[in-house]
Amino acid sequence: MLMTPVCSAGSIGYHRQTTCPVCQDPSTLLHSVPLARRKRPAFTVVRAKGQSASNKSGSSSKIKTEAKEDLGLGLKAVWYGAEQFGNVVGLRNKKQRTEPQRQPTQMTRQEVLDSIRRDYGETYFFTGVGEMEAYESDCTFADPFTSFNGVERFKKNVSNLGGLLQDIKLDIYDWQEADGQLETKWRVSGIVQLPWRPLLAAAGGTTHVFSQETGRVVKHIEMWDVEPGKVLKRLLKPAARTPSSRWETLMLSLHEGDVRGVWLAASAPILKYSAPVVGVSLVTKVLTGHGLPGGFLGGIEGVSWLLLVAAFITQAQQLMKNVSL
């Protein structure tokens, strides 16, 4: 059984791992790696909100640099939507970060590798916190969703969305160096700060391609060991096994295709928000003799009446059931 060094909350300890790294289920995040597959031990970063950690690792091997590109337009649209959503979220924090001026100077391979290790210690590709000084300013970033150029755009995207994450855990279980590139393999997870608190979990690897002129990273290619669609679907499911809120109950039912459970969880909010519309409708009928004007408002009025009646009946049944217990 392998003991992997763990850095958590600023202290170094050891973490016992018992499951297989070949498993394709990213929800199993902290796997062991057989010694035969490692030249030197990789490192694990366990980082909660407001914490950071870093460790050392290294090995060498030949790597491939191809990333998957065969994704549907739907998933790509989701990525661009998430990017814009992250930009909106980023408006909440107006503080401007002062980025270091990137000089076109050369870096030794050891300097580049040390810098990348520090960035992984800050969980840079989930938080955007790392300095990323080993990257060219126009570095190409590619993943299963998209490809674009620019370190600043990358840091902006991940820092905006990373601001919604808590309890980030990163396991770097393989680190292989070659003449022109570095390949890492990782498993990462974090709790998304949405009302139902889903778990964002993924497993994959990153290829860092080095410039022959400056030695810095010119390509950053992410490859996922799980279908991106499954990762997105998992975002509908609360991380908690037992729902503790109406939102968690609603999203768990939706994830499992439980129509009755979705309605039971949604009926109370529906009752709450349809009641004012019905109230305005009643007042309008008293004053004018007819309901809300126009086809659009009239349609909202009709739907609100139906939802109000159905939600009221559901809530009354639930109340009677609870009283009888």
Side-chain angles (χ1 to χ4, degrees):
M1 186 159 315
L2 185 64
M3 304 297 292
T4 302
V6 176
C7 178
S8 178
S11 62
I12 302 296
Y14 285 88
H15 176 85
R16 182 176 294 273
Q17 299 176 326
T18 59
T19 53
C20 175
V22 183
C23 173
Q24 299 299 308
D25 183 3
S27 62
T28 308
L29 291 169
L30 298 178
H31 297 184
S32 65
V33 178
L35 289 174
R37 293 189 57 192
R38 293 190 188 179
K39 302 297 183 182
R40 292 168 57 190
F43 63 90
T44 296
V45 177
V46 180
R47 181 175 181 273
K49 185 178 180 182
Q51 300 175 341
S52 64
S54 62
N55 287 281
K56 295 182 179 180
S57 61
S59 70
S60 62
S61 179
K62 178 142 175 116
I63 350 169
K64 66 178 184 178
T65 61
E66 295 297 324
K68 291 189 234 177
E69 298 180 356
D70 186 18
L71 279 182
L73 292 177
L75 285 178
K76 291 185 178 180
V78 169
W79 187 95
Y80 283 108
E83 181 179 23
Q84 297 306 316
F85 175 71
N87 291 337
V88 172
V89 171
L91 295 176
R92 297 185 308 173
N93 188 354
K94 296 290 185 179
K95 291 189 288 186
Q96 298 294 323
R97 296 178 302 180
T98 301
E99 298 293 345
Q101 185 67 32
R102 297 179 184 276
Q103 303 294 336
T105 56
Q106 290 186 342
M107 293 181 68
T108 66
R109 178 58 53 84
Q110 191 58 49
E111 289 173 337
V112 169
L113 295 176
D114 288 344
S115 177
I116 292 174
R117 288 189 186 103
R118 290 193 297 270
D119 291 336
Y120 273 115
E122 297 291 346
T123 327
Y124 75 101
F125 63 92
F126 253 35
T127 64
V129 172
E131 293 181 0
M132 299 186 68
E133 61 182 8
Y135 293 77
E136 296 285 1
S137 59
D138 61 347
C139 176
T140 298
F141 293 87
D143 60 26
F145 289 99
T146 188
S147 175
F148 59 84
N149 287 36
V151 171
E152 296 311 313
R153 179 179 175 184
F154 175 82
K155 295 184 74 172
K156 179 182 177 183
N157 289 346
V158 297
S159 62
N160 286 343
L161 292 175
L164 293 174
L165 296 174
Q166 288 182 326
D167 301 326
I168 300 174
K169 296 179 176 64
L170 173 64
D171 174 23
I172 307 296
Y173 67 87
D174 199 15
W175 178 287
Q176 299 182 10
E177 301 167 18
D179 290 340
Q181 56 193 14
L182 163 71
E183 185 179 78
T184 63
K185 294 186 182 299
W186 41 259
R187 286 174 286 265
V188 65
S189 71
I191 301 297
V192 186
Q193 296 184 73
L194 292 171
W196 59 97
R197 294 179 59 78
L199 175 70
L200 176 61
T206 302
T207 299
H208 308 260
V209 181
F210 304 130
S211 166
Q212 293 182 354
E213 289 76 23
T214 66
R216 296 174 184 264
V217 180
V218 291
K219 290 184 180 180
H220 177 280
I221 304 170
E222 289 184 16
M223 295 158 286
W224 290 18
D225 293 338
V226 61
E227 294 179 15
K230 291 183 178 180
V231 176
L232 295 176
K233 182 180 178 181
R234 190 174 287 109
L235 291 178
L236 297 177
K237 183 179 180 180
R241 294 184 178 181
T242 303
S244 59
S245 68
R246 190 176 298 277
W247 266 109
E248 291 183 1
T249 302
L250 173 65
M251 297 307 294
L252 181 61
S253 299
L254 182 63
H255 180 269
E256 295 179 349
D258 181 2
V259 177
R260 182 175 180 275
V262 170
W263 173 250
L264 289 176
S267 59
I270 288 174
L271 182 63
K272 176 181 178 180
Y273 292 110
S274 63
V277 178
V278 171
V280 172
S281 172
L282 291 173
V283 171
T284 303
K285 285 185 178 181
V286 171
L287 296 177
T288 65
H290 54 77
L292 298 178
F296 178 71
L297 293 178
I300 293 179
E301 178 185 29
V303 171
S304 296
W305 272 99
L306 291 174
L307 291 176
L308 178 69
V309 172
F312 178 80
I313 293 174
T314 300
Q315 288 297 300
Q317 290 176 340
Q318 289 295 107
L319 180 61
M320 293 178 64
K321 181 180 179 179
N322 293 336
V323 170
S324 64
L325 296 177

